[in-house]
Amino acid sequence: MTIEWMDRFVKLMDQISDCPAGGIGITELSKQTLLSKGTLHRMLQSMCGYHLVVQSAETKKYMLGPKAMSWGSTFLQNRDPVGLLAQYCKQVGDETGLYAFICRYQANEVFCTHTHQPLSTGANFFVHVGQRMPLNAAAAAQIILAYQPDSVIDGMLEKEVLHPYTPYTLTDPDQLRRKIDQARQTGEAYCKQELELGTSALSVPIFHSKNQALLSLSLVGKQHYFDENKDQIGKVLHQAADQASDHLSAMQALSSLF
């Protein structure tokens, strides 16, 4: 009974955490979780009481509440050297004028741990702190995978749902594997309109030891800007990642994180 309840709770929280900013309604939650509306209503009311979720008074849709956000913030602070690496994220963002972010691999997932948006960048992008990065559409995830053992890559690709976010998203596992292999050879991963139309992203690894990387540093912006400036963007990104890698490798106090 306890296991069944926990399974329902996790499924529900997964759906709410993946929903758009405006929230998700109980009808859609019922379709996604296969739980009855009555069961969902009881669970959601209890979760609202603990501030795990909140309900919009206007739309009646549900979204993550302050308690869930607090838990996520604590998780990230305890598991990622944000204070150490944030300076490099800011450095590349300010130098290029592009939205910069750091991602981390842990427990067979890649998620965003830090972002920096220069004042000159007014656009909003898919990436935010705590965001899970889809393997088939995110350069930040692909460059991290490029430095994992083949067995890990194969296992993650087998379970990943290759959702077509745009007409350019890779949905063929073999094509995705080839792209990851190419990223390993070039030391960078590039996604062009694969996650958001009109948007491109370039990602490079942050190494904690030789050829071992669980972190990536990325820049994202308008596709036309990347088409015109990709080489210069890549140069700035690699320089910052090299500095971050040297800094991270030298910090023996962080060795327990890896």
Side-chain angles (χ1 to χ4, degrees), residues 9-74:
F9 174 77
V10 172
K11 285 182 179 179
L12 183 54
M13 287 295 286
D14 279 344
Q15 292 302 321
I16 295 175
S17 65
D18 287 340
C19 75
I24 185 170
I26 198 167
T27 299
E28 183 63 24
L29 283 171
S30 181
K31 291 179 182 178
Q32 297 294 336
T33 63
L34 302 180
L35 297 174
S36 70
K37 291 183 180 180
T39 297
L40 286 172
H41 180 75
R42 290 190 295 272
M43 291 181 67
L44 288 166
Q45 290 305 303
S46 178
M47 292 161 68
C48 282
Y50 286 99
H51 304 294
L52 286 167
V53 299
V54 294
Q55 185 181 27
S56 169
E58 297 178 356
T59 66
K60 304 302 180 183
K61 292 184 177 182
Y62 294 90
M63 58 204 78
L64 289 180
K67 174 61 74 172
M69 297 177 192
S70 175
W71 285 351
S73 177
T74 300

Side-chain angles (χ1 to χ4, degrees), residues 191-203:
C191 283
K192 185 174 181 179
Q193 299 195 91
E194 294 168 38
L195 189 56
E196 295 179 276
L197 287 175
T199 300
S200 293
L202 186 65
S203 302

Side-chain angles (χ1 to χ4, degrees), residues 1 15 21 24 27-28 38 47 69 73 93 105 120 141 153 159 175 180 197 207-208 217 233 235 237:
M1 213 33 208
Q15 292 302 321
I24 185 170
T27 299
E28 183 63 24
M47 292 161 68
M69 297 177 192
S73 177
Y105 168 78
S120 59
I153 299 175
K159 72 170 188 175
Q175 289 183 346
I180 292 171
L197 287 175
F207 296 104
H208 59 271
L217 179 62
I233 293 171
K235 181 179 179 181
L237 195 58

Side-chain angles (χ1 to χ4, degrees), residues 6-231:
M6 181 60 71
D7 182 62
R8 291 177 176 180
F9 174 77
V10 172
K11 285 182 179 179
L12 183 54
M13 287 295 286
D14 279 344
Q15 292 302 321
I16 295 175
S17 65
D18 287 340
C19 75
I24 185 170
I26 198 167
T27 299
E28 183 63 24
L29 283 171
S30 181
K31 291 179 182 178
Q32 297 294 336
T33 63
L34 302 180
L35 297 174
S36 70
K37 291 183 180 180
T39 297
L40 286 172
H41 180 75
R42 290 190 295 272
M43 291 181 67
L44 288 166
Q45 290 305 303
S46 178
M47 292 161 68
C48 282
Y50 286 99
H51 304 294
L52 286 167
V53 299
V54 294
Q55 185 181 27
S56 169
E58 297 178 356
T59 66
K60 304 302 180 183
K61 292 184 177 182
Y62 294 90
M63 58 204 78
L64 289 180
K67 174 61 74 172
M69 297 177 192
S70 175
W71 285 351
S73 177
T74 300
F75 172 82
L76 294 177
Q77 289 175 7
N78 290 338
R79 286 163 177 79
D80 189 72
V82 172
L84 169 65
L85 299 179
Q87 59 184 306
Y88 302 105
C89 191
K90 183 178 186 302
Q91 175 182 320
V92 294
D94 289 344
E95 187 168 348
T96 62
L98 296 170
Y99 189 92
F101 60 98
I102 293 171
C103 287
R104 179 187 174 100
Y105 168 78
Q106 188 173 41
N108 290 327
E109 298 283 0
V110 176
F111 54 91
C112 176
T113 62
H114 186 77
T115 64
H116 176 70
Q117 184 167 14
L119 295 177
S120 59
T121 304
N124 293 319
F125 297 102
F126 172 89
V127 183
H128 59 265
V129 173
Q131 175 69 55
R132 178 189 179 276
M133 307 304 292
L135 306 184
N136 63 320
Q142 292 163 11
I143 193 60
I144 290 177
L145 273 190
Y147 293 92
Q148 307 312 309
D150 288 339
S151 59
V152 172
I153 299 175
D154 292 339
M156 291 183 67
L157 293 185
E158 285 178 6
K159 72 170 188 175
E160 183 79 1
V161 177
L162 303 183
H163 179 75
Y165 294 90
T166 76
Y168 303 98
T169 305
L170 294 181
T171 56
D172 184 328
D174 292 332
Q175 289 183 346
L176 179 54
R177 181 56 193 259
R178 287 195 290 272
K179 188 177 181 187
I180 292 171
D181 289 341
Q182 182 181 17
R184 182 183 295 172
Q185 296 173 13
T186 62
E188 62 183 38
Y190 185 52
C191 283
K192 185 174 181 179
Q193 299 195 91
E194 294 168 38
L195 189 56
E196 295 179 276
L197 287 175
T199 300
S200 293
L202 186 65
S203 302
V204 297
I206 298 176
F207 296 104
H208 59 271
S209 60
K210 187 176 181 180
N211 292 325
Q212 293 186 332
L214 298 177
L215 298 158
S216 63
L217 179 62
S218 308
L219 289 168
V220 60
K222 297 299 182 182
Q223 174 207 334
H224 65 83
Y225 185 82
F226 268 81
D227 286 344
E228 298 172 358
N229 302 280
K230 183 171 178 287
D231 289 343

